[in-house]
Amino acid sequence: ITLLFNRTIMKRSLKGRRFFLITGGALLFAAILYFSLAFRQKPASDSRLLLTMIMEGINSVHYSPHPVNDSFSYKIFQEYLKRVDFNKKIFNRKDIDELSSYRFSIDDEINDSSYAFFDAVMKIYSVRLNQAYRYSKMALADPLDFSADENIETDGDKLEYPADSLSQKNEWRKYMKLQVLQQLNEKVNTQEKARAKSDTVKVRTYDQLEENARAAVKKSNEEYFSRVNELERIDWLGIYLDCISNVEDPHTEYFAPVNKQNFDIQMSGQLEGIGAQLQQKDGEIKITSIVPGSASWRQGKLKANDVIQKVGQGSQEPVNVEGMRLDKAIQLIRGKKGTEVRLTVKKPDGTILVVPIIRDVVVIEATYAQSALIHSNGNKIGYIRLPEFYAPVDQRGGRSCSDDVKKELQKLKSENVLGIILDLRDNGGGSLQEAVKLGGLFIKSGPVVQVRQRGGRANVLSDSDPEIIYDGPLTIMVNENSASASEIIAAAMQDYHRAVVIGSRTTYGKGTVQNFYNLDNLVSHQQSSAPVLGSIKITIQKFYRVNGGSTQLRGVTPDIILPDPYAEIPNGEKENKYAIKWDEIPPAIFEPWKAGYSYDKLRAGSEKRMSSSNAFQLIQEEARDFKERSENTMYPLSYKKYSDLQKILNDKEKKYEAILSDTGLVAVSNLPADLARVNADSVSIARNNQFFKNLKKDIYISEAATVVGEMK
């Protein structure tokens, strides 16, 4: 089968090669499973069959599968314990010592399709969970004294497992004390603000506020343990199998049937919600992306990598969603248009923030390419924002990002712009085919990206259309959340010397491609009633730049690096210890563009402006501050010290908000060709106003426009 597909691939078109690369892997996977399962002596149970299928699937089509040995076993041992008890509040040191006997035998269990380690963990977990529940209730039974000078570490990686039950009880006491302290501080501040606005506010004493805060935490705590107790063996089994898959690489994942749906859920389209994509990892519900044009996007404070801790309906008491199943958390976050949801989120730097959002219907049009005219130093510069690499969903038509960008380029050319800015910030990727076609808009013809699967030669994906839609000065904007297809375009245009890439220190660094396999479909021939097995997503290919280097881990380093608030906080693919490594292959044959400008001069000019810009200097200060705050995960449990710390953090937050206070920083206008469309109705007008509101205060666009002027 491998030989057949390798020979066939070489004879196919670009689209055909991609089809056979993926389909060939799927059929190979299916064939291996068919023969391995068909000749088994005894029928396996669903869970044993599931483990067999996952491992044989990974071994057959994964780009670089790990050998199933003692090293693999130890990684699973560490990872699963972390996911089950991410903040080291359930197990104690004796439990870990007892489970350590499985450290180097999980590989043998996998080969035998058995679950001895998993069952041992779950047996101890059920006992310790009930014990933890009792400790948490005891900690909230009486009024808490916040005058004592003590601290609590909140980073699970920095904590040690409690030595015994007494130590564990004390850890739960401090943990619950922190929860009450956060509530108390918020209630005190809310009351003070209300008193400043009105003399008729009913003032509660400190003791009354402490009692209210403790009651709120009691309720939240009961809900938390109730949710965890709702989890069944099949739920934990899904986490365990996903853990095994993730040890291969972070993008190889197992999805139980319900989790497959949850993974794809985006509160967008016609859903009335906030417009955020969520993912559950290590007991936390994390924002993976914000849908452009959505309620969250317009509100502006919710960002990718924020962790949702609580969800409140308007002024109602918020519900703790830590440990909650993703589908249930989403039900709390969703709601009718016009209603308010209040999300308590933990920022990457550790700051706790309450983000109020008015739910709305997500505007799909805002995810499409948009353009504007930027007026800088007497010049007209074209601006195109591309939020994602979208493609037609079927053969009957649909929007294509390459076609849309082509139209915007043609409109901008008719305005005789000096140059063009292509904004790929926060663009997480999408269609590979569209990325290749989009790259072809700026070059005559030639390779755009190289793709390689396991054991195969690199497949060069090229633009074959000799037409150049735009050949003038081009700047591509990226940041640390620009990934996959965005990195392909930025890398290709950089290698061709076709554009100046400008942005954060580096892009995300995801240089791999995955494919989904429905496990039920692969065994339906064996029995009339196939088990509900779920799906597995497997990394099957790797991207390479036309210069031969991989975008994996290293991403794309901009030609001009601008200060970024999160520049000092570890982020991206390289932060995952199981990520596939960087490597390189021979470069493709391509002819670089003959740039009429000096990269060194452009870089020197930008650096000079950065050094004299108050806004960019403030961003650099913010980055240093964020780094310090992210590393300081120890919190005081004294009310005065905690309150003083929060005041300092709030003051800094206000200080950094001043960066975006100048709403007239960038002069922008609509293209004349777009005026009829953007003024068609009130919805279009509001959407356009929001688009321009963000552009006008974007200092990064202002700098990019200046660079374009210097390129000319």
Side-chain angles (χ1 to χ4, degrees):
I1 294 175
T2 304
L3 289 174
L4 170 63
F5 276 97
N6 282 344
R7 293 180 64 183
T8 306
I9 287 168
M10 302 308 296
K11 300 178 182 178
R12 296 282 171 171
S13 62
L14 170 61
K15 184 175 181 181
R17 287 198 299 269
R18 292 185 63 242
F19 172 80
F20 275 96
L21 281 170
I22 295 175
T23 308
L27 290 179
L28 178 60
F29 180 13
I32 291 173
L33 284 176
Y34 178 86
F35 289 109
S36 64
L37 296 174
F39 292 100
R40 286 189 179 275
Q41 296 296 318
K42 298 179 181 179
S45 66
D46 287 1
S47 59
R48 290 172 64 89
L49 173 64
L50 190 51
L51 182 55
T52 298
M53 294 183 70
I54 289 173
M55 294 310 300
E56 292 184 350
I58 289 172
N59 288 332
S60 63
V61 299
H62 192 278
Y63 182 82
S64 58
H66 292 289
V68 181
N69 54 20
D70 287 355
S71 175
F72 190 72
S73 174
Y74 187 62
K75 291 174 183 176
I76 296 170
F77 174 83
Q78 290 182 308
E79 191 66 21
Y80 188 58
L81 289 177
K82 180 179 179 180
R83 296 193 186 189
V84 171
D85 186 14
F86 66 95
N87 60 1
K88 295 186 174 71
K89 293 290 185 294
I90 304 297
F91 297 124
N92 60 38
R93 186 68 256 171
K94 294 178 182 178
D95 298 329
I96 301 304
D97 291 341
E98 180 180 339
L99 291 170
S100 292
S101 62
Y102 294 94
R103 285 178 302 169
F104 303 115
S105 63
I106 301 173
D107 54 321
D108 301 318
E109 295 177 23
I110 290 174
N111 290 329
D112 192 42
S113 300
S114 64
Y115 293 91
F117 168 65
F118 170 77
D119 291 333
V121 171
M122 291 296 95
K123 182 179 179 180
I124 297 175
Y125 183 86
S126 62
V127 175
R128 295 301 182 212
L129 184 67
N130 291 330
Q131 189 178 44
Y133 173 59
R134 292 196 302 272
Y135 291 156
S136 67
K137 287 186 65 175
M138 292 169 63
L140 299 172
D142 300 310
L144 298 173
D145 177 14
F146 292 106
S147 62
D149 187 11
E150 60 178 344
N151 301 296
I152 182 173
E153 176 59 64
T154 59
D155 187 343
D157 290 335
K158 296 179 182 178
L159 288 168
E160 298 290 339
Y161 286 101
D164 49 33
S165 296
L166 186 62
S167 299
Q168 196 168 21
K169 180 180 178 181
N170 188 52
E171 286 300 313
W172 272 102
R173 178 191 65 80
K174 293 198 294 182
Y175 182 65
M176 301 313 296
K177 190 174 182 178
L178 176 62
Q179 304 299 311
V180 177
L181 182 55
Q182 292 172 341
Q183 286 271 352
L184 177 60
N185 185 65
E186 184 178 336
K187 290 181 182 298
V188 170
N189 290 337
T190 300
Q191 179 169 278
E192 289 178 354
K193 290 177 183 178
R195 288 180 62 186
K197 293 181 180 180
S198 173
D199 295 332
T200 62
V201 174
K202 182 180 179 180
V203 178
R204 290 181 171 82
T205 65
Y206 175 89
D207 290 341
Q208 289 174 324
L209 292 176
E210 187 277 339
E211 184 178 0
N212 291 342
R214 195 156 33 89
V217 173
K218 279 183 181 180
K219 180 182 177 182
S220 177
N221 190 55
E222 291 289 336
E223 292 171 346
Y224 168 76
F225 279 99
S226 176
R227 287 193 301 270
V228 176
N229 279 314
E230 287 178 6
L231 296 177
E232 300 175 355
R233 186 179 190 276
I234 189 64
D235 298 311
W236 290 112
L237 189 65
I239 296 172
Y240 180 62
L241 294 172
D242 186 41
C243 171
I244 293 174
S245 303
N246 288 163
V247 169
E248 294 286 350
D249 81 276
H251 306 291
T252 293
E253 303 175 73
Y254 167 71
F255 297 86
V258 64
N259 290 335
K260 173 62 169 65
Q261 297 173 3
N262 292 338
F263 179 81
D264 295 330
I265 286 176
Q266 294 185 43
M267 283 163 270
S268 59
Q270 296 305 307
L271 293 177
E272 295 180 349
I274 64 171
Q277 185 173 359
L278 311 179
Q279 186 178 25
Q280 190 170 44
K281 281 287 186 184
D282 299 336
E284 297 180 328
I285 295 176
K286 181 177 287 189
I287 304 290
T288 57
S289 65
I290 301 297
V291 179
S294 67
S296 296
W297 183 78
R298 292 195 299 273
Q299 203 273 352
K301 290 189 176 180
L302 202 64
K303 303 293 183 182
N305 296 318
D306 287 353
V307 174
I308 300 178
Q309 296 183 324
K310 300 176 184 177
V311 179
Q313 310 302 325
S315 60
Q316 296 180 21
E317 198 66 43
V319 175
N320 188 335
V321 296
E322 291 181 316
M324 182 181 287
R325 287 170 56 151
L326 183 60
D327 55 340
K328 292 188 176 182
I330 288 173
Q331 290 174 8
L332 291 175
I333 296 171
R334 282 180 182 167
K336 291 184 178 181
K337 175 181 178 180
T339 59
E340 183 187 56
V341 61
R342 300 175 70 85
L343 304 180
T344 301
V345 299
K346 182 174 71 174
K347 293 289 183 178
D349 65 350
T351 304
I352 306 298
L353 187 68
V354 177
V355 180
I357 301 173
I358 304 300
R359 299 178 176 102
D360 198 358
V361 175
V362 178
V363 182
I364 291 295
E365 285 76 7
T367 67
Y368 297 142
Q370 292 178 274
S371 66
L373 288 173
I374 297 174
H375 305 275
S376 174
N377 298 321
N379 300 315
K380 284 195 300 183
I381 295 171
Y383 171 82
I384 300 175
R385 167 76 174 136
L386 184 64
E388 60 186 44
F389 285 81
Y390 50 89
V393 295
D394 53 41
Q395 300 301 316
R396 293 174 295 178
R399 297 287 290 267
S400 155
C401 75
S402 60
D403 288 342
D404 285 353
V405 171
K406 180 178 180 179
K407 293 173 185 175
E408 301 305 323
L409 288 171
Q410 291 169 334
K411 288 189 294 184
L412 290 169
K413 283 175 62 179
S414 68
E415 293 296 319
N416 297 314
V417 294
L418 183 70
I420 287 177
I421 298 169
L422 177 61
D423 191 348
L424 299 181
R425 290 176 297 174
D426 298 314
N427 184 322
S431 169
L432 172 64
Q433 183 73 15
E434 286 298 311
V436 174
K437 290 169 64 177
L438 190 143
L441 302 177
F442 304 105
I443 60 175
K444 186 175 181 180
S445 63
V448 176
V449 65
Q450 302 185 80
V451 182
R452 187 172 71 172
Q453 63 183 17
R454 184 175 82 187
R457 293 187 303 173
N459 186 30
V460 180
L461 307 186
S462 300
D463 164 51
S464 58
D465 187 349
E467 182 183 14
I468 302 176
I469 302 303
Y470 177 72
D471 63 358
L474 176 66
T475 292
I476 296 178
M477 299 183 70
V478 295
N479 64 8
E480 61 185 0
N481 292 320
S482 302
S484 194
S486 294
E487 295 174 293
I488 289 172
I489 289 299
M493 296 301 100
Q494 189 178 63
D495 291 342
Y496 273 91
H497 299 162
R498 176 63 190 90
V500 173
V501 180
I502 183 170
S504 307
R505 183 173 53 185
T506 184
T507 56
Y508 189 83
K510 182 184 181 295
T512 58
V513 61
Q514 290 73 38
N515 195 40
F516 267 101
Y517 301 93
N518 186 316
L519 299 177
D520 295 315
N521 290 345
L522 296 174
V523 297
S524 59
H525 61 274
Q526 288 191 279
Q527 51 196 71
S528 58
S529 179
V532 181
L533 300 174
S535 303
I536 184 168
K537 178 162 65 77
I538 304 178
T539 296
I540 61 171
Q541 295 172 326
K542 195 172 182 181
F543 294 131
Y544 294 87
R545 303 170 65 134
V546 293
N547 71 3
S550 173
T551 58
Q552 176 68 7
L553 294 187
R554 297 187 182 183
V556 178
T557 302
D559 301 301
I560 296 176
I561 298 175
L562 302 182
D564 184 274
Y566 296 102
E568 301 300 324
I569 296 179
N571 186 42
E573 187 88 350
K574 63 182 178 298
E575 298 307 317
N576 193 301
K577 58 185 175 183
Y578 303 122
I580 291 176
K581 304 305 180 184
W582 179 91
D583 66 343
E584 58 184 337
I585 61 175
I589 300 174
F590 68 101
E591 184 177 351
W593 194 272
K594 295 180 180 179
Y597 46 83
S598 165
Y599 282 91
D600 290 338
K601 288 184 178 180
L602 292 176
R603 192 177 298 111
S606 181
E607 289 174 353
K608 184 177 180 180
R609 287 188 294 274
M610 296 303 101
S611 63
S612 60
S613 166
N614 291 331
F616 278 113
Q617 291 299 308
L618 195 58
I619 290 175
Q620 289 180 322
E621 179 184 337
E622 185 179 22
R624 292 190 293 268
D625 186 44
F626 277 9
K627 182 177 186 294
E628 180 181 345
R629 282 155 60 177
S630 68
E631 293 173 346
N632 184 13
T633 52
M634 186 82 73
Y635 283 83
L637 293 176
S638 153
Y639 179 80
K640 185 179 186 310
K641 287 187 176 181
Y642 181 86
S643 178
D644 290 345
L645 174 63
Q646 294 305 309
K647 287 178 181 178
I648 293 172
L649 295 178
N650 290 335
D651 289 342
K652 287 184 177 180
E653 185 73 21
K654 293 177 182 178
K655 176 182 179 182
Y656 298 137
E657 284 178 355
I659 297 172
L660 303 177
S661 62
D662 188 354
T663 57
L665 187 65
V666 182
V668 294
S669 66
N670 284 115
L671 278 70
D674 290 337
L675 291 176
R677 175 180 56 80
V678 299
N679 293 314
D681 52 51
S682 59
V683 174
S684 299
I685 292 172
R687 188 185 308 128
N688 188 65
N689 288 342
Q690 184 64 47
F691 177 54
F692 272 38
K693 179 182 177 181
N694 293 334
L695 293 182
K696 288 177 180 178
K697 58 185 181 182
D698 194 326
I699 59 175
Y700 294 97
I701 291 178
S702 177
E703 175 59 20
T706 303
V707 171
V708 170
E710 293 183 342
M711 290 170 68
K712 186 63 175 180

